[in-house]
Amino acid sequence: MKKGDKPRYPDKFFKALFDNMQIGVIVADSAGFITYINQTYARFLDIDAQRALGQHATELVSNTRLHIVAKTGRAEINYPHKHKGTGYLVHRVPIKENGVVVAVLGLVLFDSATTAIQLAEKLSYLEEKLKQYQKTLSTIHQAIYSFDQIAGSSASFAGAKKEAAQAATTSLPVLITGESGTGKELFAHAIHQASARSAYPFVKVNCAAIPKDLLESELFGYEKGAFTGADPKGKIGKFEIAHMGTIFLDEIGDMPLEMQPKLLRILEMKEVERLGSNKTIHTDFRVIAA
């Protein structure tokens, strides 16, 4: 071959190349039927590669998702998978022509797969524990009142309820103003109850009732040993507790001015740092202030 010439390889070269790769390769069409499987993966599955052609992916591999990726068109990278007790990682990549999925390429990674599947299972366990923890928090920190429980007959009151009900359909911050005793907190409860976040915590913070020197640790939390008298286990802050839910900042006008710049980052970026830590924690919350 001369310099500048494009190499030309026969089909058998590519077949030999894929068959000798130390990763499994499998290809399915848009309906999930197998069009190619290399010898490495066939040996692992203990099947004949030629006879596998034309069979549906679900007939060869337990819990396969090739046909699902063909429908969704979304790649799945580093997904843990198990077959007959052996764990491995899988890439499932949709192949598209003119925006339409025509095939799905599956790459099976055997190296360190046992460790990877163990880590994936541990992550799944931790995620489930987190869900249980959030459910527990939602029962402790929950809204009590709904719009049906707020009584009033005046036109202005009806208008306020209608506006609050509209606010509940969004995740935008809400400011409720009014004189003491007019039911601002009831409206905050009702907005959370009617929102998409109702299954998650409703965390109330009375900015006027918490001593100024404790407000920061209450809102942001702290690590163990962060300051003298701190709980040796550390403490989670209100903004973290409100993850996926709503934080209600009552008497916001009485919050110390020096707290305003500290709140700016968490309100804008939804990121918090506990006292005594340099680790940034992302938390997704909705703010209602009164």
Side-chain angles (χ1 to χ4, degrees), residues 14-19 25-28 33-39 49 53:
F14 290 104
K15 184 179 186 304
L17 175 66
F18 284 116
D19 282 340
V25 180
I26 187 169
V27 180
F33 290 94
I34 304 304
T35 59
Y36 173 78
I37 182 171
N38 73 343
Q39 290 295 334
L53 302 182

Side-chain angles (χ1 to χ4, degrees), residues 60 71 79 117 178 183 217 227 258:
L60 299 181
K71 289 181 180 179
Y79 265 55
I117 198 72
S217 62
F227 53 86
E258 56 266 29

